[in-house]
């Protein structure tokens, strides 16, 4: 596909315009505003003269267009693109060299050569990522003299999972409607599709699943395939592959077959034909993502087959085209006496070694469901012969939607850095997922997207940092939460040192604050029914027992928490002995995980010197207080942050404060009914009664 650079620049310029007016957040971290520090700007501008374009390809065009756009904005001067270097100084040389010493095809090497700057890679994709890194170097104010970066992604498929539906809604989306305007596609291409691709490419995301895992079969019809094809065409020049979620019952629903049994030859043929049809439209199609036999979705178990039977049928259909099937391990049964924690491991571990080479199993970070804090899923480390993909949730389903300021890099890192001990000390989850521990030849990390049609993409301005952090960590999980926070803040909000330090601290503490006022000490799944918003620890009846709150917290006169040791569900046995030893004893179990694994007496003395009850209250009160502190800290950065962005965050923090009080009052008053202990000094008893709080939660549940 031929595209004219002028057209691209025009479109980019319109969408990502350099207007001096207030910032609506649309440009994300790719603002490219004129560098304020004049001396610094002149230095960059003096050092950079041309962009030497290297071999032509659509991806190379994206790289040069981005460099030109970025430099124009940052330096306030137009930098010409030339086929060869003119003169020997100030050229940004884009170089593709398959012999470049890099770990893989997507890596890049930035360095100075005399007075020139080289962006070298084995492929055009590497050059694209290197170009964004070069711009980031300038955006974050680093001296060009120090340009030296060699990096390759540690994970092959760095993907977003969109839970977007045919009607434009997004399951668990809190930033507006779907970015994909299905009704206008394929004819009308919203310029936003390209900006979405640019944003992803800038942080190394190279794959996207465009539709919900609760998948409508309609996506596989001749009506929708051209729409997906149109998106793929826009994303391709940014190195992004499209995947689709499929409905396992499609052969029955669309194909008119009486069955979707994966061992039925007619069903297999149907998938083979459908896959061929997809590849005819999208030659670089990535593959399928599948939610099967989970929360009512159809799957192979409907026919007495297992997950591997289902996955392998699809793997076979995809294999001739180099596609991959990613099969989700998010499964659980409605068993009032069981432990939902254990189901995924029980269903999947026995299947290790039975999946085809182009199948992967995608596991959520924790054993339940994206709670504010979860221990790592015991499946990590338990399937050495099956490549396991990590699934994180970027959208804040259980983290206060778009009203709450919760920076997720610490949550992602906590999981990735956890030690499974499966092959001795240092067998971290990250090493499972990046393939080094079990020598997986396929690796993937997925993030359930938090993007939507809101002008600023993510609803809460600060949630942009979560999209950013996910991409950066999928590229390199050894980056620190702090480094990513600073990078993002410098590009998005401010570089003024004091404000930068304040915002970095706000980001770094925000998740722990959220845990404290919602689910401290290892409480989990006590949020509002189905909406998953606000507190509802009293929820005792639902369509399934494991959708209630009491199933998880087990508060009673004798204490609180889910006993997952030998005296309880023994879910702990799914971990390596070292992990069991670490978490199995309530006296040594780290407090953040305590009630995940133990039922603890209200008056038990904890390592903090407080009783369990007092500690619980302490955290609810301090967590709520911390939101007031966040408001104060945010107020101090006002002079340094764009007024529109400042106001957006300030307003949402005020809403978060109201919600934190709601959580605190609900939880301390409800749990007090069991502990029968007073709210400890210096904290004041809530002004509201539990009945009043319950009414607030009930209002949220109204349809
Ligand atoms: O977290 C739960 C959500 C569902 C979601 C499901 C899943 C897409 O509440 O909305 O469905 O997990 O991950 O499949």
């Amino acid at each position: 596909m031929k595209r004219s650079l002028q057209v691209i620049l025009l479109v980019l310029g319109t969408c990502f315009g350099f207007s001096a007016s207030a910032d609506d957040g649309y440009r994300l971290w790719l603002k490219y505003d004129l560098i304020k520090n004049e001396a610094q700007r002149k230095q960059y501008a003096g050092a950079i003269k041309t962009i030497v374009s290297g071999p032509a390809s659509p991806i190379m065009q994206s790289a040069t267009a981005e460099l030109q756009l970025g430099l124009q904005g940052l330096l306030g001067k137009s930098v010409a693109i030339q086929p060869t270097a003119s003169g020997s100084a100030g050229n940004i040389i884009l170089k593709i060299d398959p012999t470049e010493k890099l770990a893989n095809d997507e890596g890049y090497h930035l360095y100075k050569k005399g007075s020139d700057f080289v962006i070298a890679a084995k492929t055009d994709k590497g050059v694209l990522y290197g170009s964004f890194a070069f711009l980031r170097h300038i955006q974050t104010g680093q001296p060009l003299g120090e340009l030296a970066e060699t990096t390759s992604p540690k994970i092959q498929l760095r993907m977003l999972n969109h839970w977007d539906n045919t009607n434009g809604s997004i399951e668990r989306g809190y930033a507006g409607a779907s970015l994909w305007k299905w009704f206008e596609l394929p004819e009308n291409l919203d310029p936003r599709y390209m900006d979405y691709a640019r944003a992803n490419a800038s942080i190394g995301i190279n794959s996207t699943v465009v539709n919900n895992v609760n998948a409508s079969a309609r996506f596989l019809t001749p009506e929708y395939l051209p729409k997906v094809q149109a998106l793929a065409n826009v994303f391709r020049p940014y190195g992004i592959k499209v995947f689709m979620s499929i409905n396992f019952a499609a052969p029955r629903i669309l194909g008119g077959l009486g069955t979707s049994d994966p061992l039925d030859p007619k069903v297999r043929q149907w998938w083979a034909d459908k896959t061929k049809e997809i590849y005819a439209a999208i030659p670089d199609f990535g593959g399928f993502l599948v939610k099967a036999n989970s929360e009512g979705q159809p799957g192979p178990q409907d026919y007495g087959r297992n997950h591997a039977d289902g996955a392998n049928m699809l793997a076979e259909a995809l294999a001739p085209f180099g596609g991959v099937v990613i099969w989700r391990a998010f499964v659980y049964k409605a068993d009032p006496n069981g432990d939902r924690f254990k189901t995924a491991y029980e269903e999947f571990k026995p299947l290790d070694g039975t999946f085809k080479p182009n199948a992967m199993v995608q596991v959520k970070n924790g054993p339940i469901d994206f709670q504010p804090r979860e221990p790592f899923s015991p499946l990590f480390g338990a399937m050495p012969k099956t490549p396991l993909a990590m699934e994180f949730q970027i959208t804040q389903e259980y983290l206060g939607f778009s009203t709450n300021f919760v920076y997720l890099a610490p949550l992602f890192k906590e999981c990735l850095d956890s030690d499974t001990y499966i092959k001795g000390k240092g067998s971290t989850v990250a090493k499972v997922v990046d393939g080094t521990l079990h020598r997986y030849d396929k690796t993937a990390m997925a993030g359930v997207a938090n993007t939507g049609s809101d002008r600023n993409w993510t609803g809460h301005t600060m949630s942009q940092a979560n999209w950013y952090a996910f991409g950066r960590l999928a590229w390199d999980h050894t980056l620190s939460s702090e480094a990513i926070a600073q990078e993002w803040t410098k590009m998005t909000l401010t570089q003024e040192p004091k404000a930068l330090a304040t915002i970095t601290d706000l980001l770094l503490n925000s998740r722990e604050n959220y845990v404290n006022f919602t689910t401290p000490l290892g409480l989990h799944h006590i949020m509002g029914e189905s909406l998953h918003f606000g507190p509802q620890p009293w929820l005792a009846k639902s369509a399934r027992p494991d959708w209630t709150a009491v199933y998880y917290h087990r508060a009673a006169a004798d204490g609180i928490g889910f006993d997952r040791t030998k005296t309880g569900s023994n879910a702990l046995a799914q971990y390596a002995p070292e992990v069991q030893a670490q978490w199995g004893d309530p006296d040594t179990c780290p407090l953040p995980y305590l009630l995940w694994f133990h039922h603890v007496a209200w008056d038990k003395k904890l390592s903090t010197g407080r009783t369990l009850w007092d500690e619980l209250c302490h955290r609810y009160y301090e967590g709520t207080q911390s939101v007031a502190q966040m408001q104060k800290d945010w107020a101090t950065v006002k002079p340094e942050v764009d007024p529109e962005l400042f106001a957006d965050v300030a307003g949402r923090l005020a809403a978060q404060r109201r919600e934190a009080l709601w959580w605190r009052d609900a939880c301390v008053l409800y749990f007090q009914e069991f502990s029968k202990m007073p709210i400890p000094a210096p904290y004041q008893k809530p002004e509201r009664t539990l009945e009043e709080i319950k009414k607030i939660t009930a209002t949220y549940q109204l349809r």
Side-chain angles (χ1 to χ4, degrees), residues 138-410:
I138 297 180
Q139 285 175 281
T140 53
Q142 301 172 63
L144 277 176
E146 289 170 18
L147 186 75
E149 190 188 357
T150 304
T151 173
S152 295
K154 294 197 189 313
I155 304 281
Q156 293 160 6
L157 293 175
R158 305 173 298 279
M159 48 181 8
L160 289 183
N161 288 182
H162 290 272
W163 287 355
D164 294 18
N165 301 316
T166 49
N167 65 1
S169 64
I170 306 179
E171 180 151 353
R172 312 300 180 186
Y174 313 106
S178 175
L179 290 170
W180 327 133
K181 296 183 175 167
W182 296 122
F183 300 114
E184 300 170 14
L185 281 164
E187 292 84 0
N188 190 33
L189 297 176
D190 186 336
R192 197 160 186 169
Y193 303 151
M194 192 162 84
D195 289 333
Y196 164 85
R198 292 176 54 233
N200 280 324
S202 77
I203 49 176
I205 289 173
N206 65 2
S207 327
T208 185
V209 184
V210 293
N211 62 321
N212 192 355
V213 288
N214 290 328
S216 165
R218 196 170 161 199
F219 279 107
L220 293 173
T221 61
E223 180 202 4
Y224 267 77
L225 283 180
K227 300 175 193 283
V228 177
Q229 177 192 33
L231 291 177
N233 290 344
V234 178
F235 301 161
R236 189 171 298 114
Y238 290 91
I240 296 171
K241 267 191 189 193
V242 160
F243 285 66
M244 283 168 82
S245 299
I246 57 105
N247 183 309
F248 197 80
R252 204 174 40 72
I253 300 169
L254 302 178
L257 304 183
T259 173
S260 293
D261 181 350
L263 298 192
D264 185 312
K266 288 190 301 299
V267 172
R268 297 175 88 84
Q269 191 57 47
W270 189 88
W271 281 112
D273 294 344
K274 183 52 74 181
T275 308
K276 202 167 155 201
E277 185 187 334
I278 296 173
Y279 276 91
I282 310 171
D284 57 350
F285 182 67
F288 299 133
L289 174 65
V290 192
K291 172 174 178 178
N293 294 120
S294 163
E295 299 187 329
Q297 291 299 316
Q301 293 174 349
D302 304 348
Y303 305 95
R305 317 297 182 193
N306 66 33
H307 293 291
D309 295 328
N312 289 342
M313 168 189 66
L314 296 168
E316 213 172 276
L318 288 157
F321 309 98
V324 184
V325 59
I326 302 177
W327 194 270
R328 296 176 86 229
F330 178 64
V331 294
Y332 55 105
K333 303 182 196 92
D335 175 1
N337 302 315
D339 181 358
R340 171 174 167 184
F341 188 117
K342 300 198 298 188
T343 324
Y345 181 100
E346 285 169 348
E347 282 193 27
F348 279 85
K349 183 172 165 51
L351 299 176
D352 190 27
T354 65
F355 289 90
K356 297 245 179 211
N358 60 329
M360 302 186 76
V361 170
Q362 182 165 300
V363 182
K364 289 188 181 182
N365 59 290
I368 301 291
D369 192 11
F370 301 136
Q371 293 299 295
R373 168 164 278 125
E374 296 206 23
F376 68 91
S377 162
L379 269 176
F380 293 111
M383 296 185 69
K385 296 187 202 129
T386 312
L388 297 184
M390 168 64 77
E391 180 173 320
F392 284 126
Q393 195 178 47
I394 313 174
T395 190
Q396 292 173 226
E397 175 180 357
Y398 298 99
L399 290 145
F401 296 5
S402 286
T403 37
N404 283 247
F405 178 152
V406 187
Y407 174 55
L408 295 176

Side-chain angles (χ1 to χ4, degrees), residues 413-482:
K413 290 280 291 182
E414 189 172 292
C415 175
L416 292 165
D417 293 344
S418 295
D419 201 337
T420 69
Y421 285 94
I422 231 61
K423 285 186 159 187
K425 196 169 166 45
S427 307
T428 60
V429 171
K431 286 189 191 161
V432 173
V433 175
D434 75 12
T436 52
L437 200 71
H438 302 306
R439 301 189 186 284
Y440 294 156
D441 65 350
K442 295 215 163 358
T443 57
M445 195 185 287
V448 179
N450 65 348
T451 50
S453 61
D454 280 8
R455 182 70 190 154
N456 73 357
W457 302 84
T458 58
H460 202 307
T461 300
M462 302 311 280
S463 301
Q464 293 182 357
N466 294 333
W467 181 6
Y468 186 85
F470 169 77
R472 298 289 284 135
L473 285 173
W475 182 280
D476 182 358
H477 53 70
T478 67
L479 294 173
S480 73
S481 299
E482 183 174 5

